[in-house]
Amino acid sequence: MNKKEILSNLDTRDANFLKDVDFDIKEDSITLTTYDSFVKDYIFPNITQKIKELTGKQVFGKLEIRLEENQDSISLFNRFGIVLGNMDLDPSLTKERLVIGDFNKRAVTAKDNLLDWQSDRIKNILTIWGGTGLGKTHILHTAGWDVVRQKKNIYLADSNRFIDEVLKYSKEKKLDSMHSVWNDCTMILFDDLQGLSEKAKKIPLVESELFNAIQIFTQPKKRCIFACDRNPLALQFDDRINYRLAENAVEITRPDKDARIEILKKLFGERSREIKKEFIDLLAEKLNQNVRQLMGAVNSINIQMELGSPIDEQTITVVIASLAVSLRAHKTDPLERIVNHVIMNMGVERNELFEKRSRNPARITAIAVARLLYPKIEVDTIAKFFNTSRKSVYEIAEREAKTDSVVSIMSLIMAEGR
């Protein structure tokens, strides 16, 4: 079966999402390649299974970053600094496209302060953390573009590429060459650090090289920015790394409704689409999890408009419902999953949940659910994640086991499937 035949056997919504996806069809496998992170994270997990059942072939999905062939992005690399590592700065993740609100203002300010090269008083390390799809990568790349424009070299990495590179240089006995590359750079930008954290104990050399990178990039006149999906103190590195990452850690929270409205306006405006104000308000009210969810809504509505379909309240309702289902089906870190459920069902902001005060119902509920629902997660891990003691985890779980809030959150997560 070719792409056209496969799409004709899928329902209209799924076919629309795959319209701009590249199909590499081989004898026993199909690889789907998208340039949209939303499609990769939220659409592929369901559609790949459907295509597998339809064709009898193994189906894989991957994300690629498309570099626009325009004078601005190309000349920037030729005339100014060098981007080293196995990644490229994303031309779409610029300062001009970044919506700033209460949810990310502290992180953006911290990033701007870090790039003040004249100041000797600022910390030269920054960790931006928060849930999936909140814009951490966008802020990281705006920092990269700023530094490249200042004719400075940067090293861009994420967990998988960092692991591959360390193992490659180690096998070739050329780790000194890798260190030399780092020494030639002014800044390291490291995304998705939690992925490295989960593998660190299995590959001690990689954790050791992360420490070396931090040592190099916290020297005078150098900078490092890391991004991860949880409090750096909850990462599974040695304390010497965790505490360095936590020196200047700033959280991004969920965007409030005003910010979500501005994000939707900007996204629709970039596509030259006019959407009724009441529809934007409805989308902003119901899609309250992250920026990626809003991008998915805009992409879906854009497809409907390209097909000539009317954009009415029913269409908006269907889009909202489909995205809610996709997010529920998306697998996340168990502790982050608990946090998201507590936030949604107890009506608190993420920063409120993590506040250490004598009686914080949201935090207490989250700790109890973590201990009771996931007994295989080490107590030390739960304690680090919520910045508390082992003793408190045990006491809270025992005391709160039968409270309504704990039972309710546990029931919701079990209904989805742990």
Side-chain angles (χ1 to χ4, degrees), residues 38-106:
F38 174 84
V39 173
K40 168 64 167 59
D41 289 341
Y42 296 112
I43 306 302
F44 277 0
N46 294 325
I47 287 183
T48 51
Q49 182 60 33
K50 293 178 184 178
I51 297 177
K52 179 180 179 181
E53 294 171 357
L54 186 63
T55 63
K57 299 181 179 183
Q58 290 293 321
V59 183
F60 307 96
K62 68 177 185 176
L63 172 71
E64 286 189 358
I65 295 176
R66 191 196 328 249
L67 284 174
E68 301 293 340
E69 295 296 328
N70 60 60
Q71 184 62 30
D72 288 338
S73 62
I74 294 174
S75 62
L76 203 57
F77 288 108
N78 290 342
R79 295 200 314 269
F80 299 142
I82 303 170
V83 180
L84 301 174
N86 297 320
M87 300 175 66
D88 292 308
L89 285 172
D90 188 336
S92 69
L93 300 181
T94 62
K95 185 182 296 184
E96 293 71 28
R97 297 189 71 233
L98 182 66
V99 172
I100 301 174
D102 289 341
F103 73 106
N104 66 358
K105 186 185 300 181
R106 289 180 63 241

Side-chain angles (χ1 to χ4, degrees), residues 124-298:
N124 48 8
I125 184 170
L126 171 64
T127 305
I128 300 171
W129 67 279
T132 301
L134 296 177
K136 300 184 296 295
T137 300
H138 196 153
I139 295 175
L140 218 64
H141 281 245
T142 63
W145 286 116
D146 284 345
V147 174
V148 168
R149 287 189 179 96
Q150 295 172 22
K151 303 182 182 181
K152 300 178 188 295
N153 299 343
I154 66 170
Y155 187 86
L156 188 61
D158 66 11
S159 293
N160 290 331
R161 290 175 174 85
F162 187 81
I163 291 171
D164 290 345
E165 191 156 87
V166 168
L167 295 180
K168 172 180 175 292
Y169 276 100
S170 174
K171 184 178 180 180
E172 297 173 356
K173 301 187 185 306
K174 293 181 178 178
L175 284 173
D176 286 346
S177 298
M178 183 174 68
H179 298 161
S180 178
V181 171
W182 294 348
N183 282 317
D184 287 339
C185 293
T186 302
M187 170 180 277
I188 184 172
L189 299 174
F190 200 124
D191 204 4
D192 292 327
L193 186 61
Q194 71 279 351
L196 186 61
S197 160
E198 291 157 6
K199 299 175 182 177
K201 300 309 176 188
K202 297 178 182 177
I203 319 176
L205 173 64
V206 172
E207 183 175 34
S208 174
E209 288 305 321
L210 173 63
F211 181 75
N212 287 335
I214 292 174
Q215 292 292 89
I216 289 173
F217 284 100
T218 51
Q219 293 175 15
K221 302 302 180 182
K222 285 184 178 285
R223 302 287 189 269
C224 49
I225 304 181
F226 296 90
C228 56
D229 68 359
R230 66 204 69 170
N231 188 316
L233 290 175
L235 295 172
Q236 298 171 36
F237 298 124
D238 288 341
D239 284 347
R240 62 178 183 163
I241 293 178
N242 285 354
Y243 287 119
R244 291 304 303 273
L245 294 170
E247 280 180 18
N248 187 24
V250 181
E251 182 187 12
I252 296 182
T253 59
R254 288 186 300 161
D256 57 31
K257 186 176 179 182
D258 287 342
R260 297 196 295 270
I261 289 173
E262 289 306 309
I263 291 167
L264 287 167
K265 286 180 178 179
K266 182 176 282 287
L267 291 172
F268 281 122
E270 290 172 351
R271 291 163 175 77
S272 300
R273 300 297 191 188
E274 292 187 8
I275 303 294
K276 291 182 179 179
K277 180 180 181 300
E278 57 263 36
F279 293 161
I280 289 181
D281 287 347
L282 183 59
L283 289 166
E285 180 181 351
K286 298 297 183 182
L287 301 178
N288 59 5
Q289 294 306 298
N290 55 46
V291 178
R292 195 170 293 166
Q293 193 184 32
L294 301 176
M295 292 172 63
V298 173

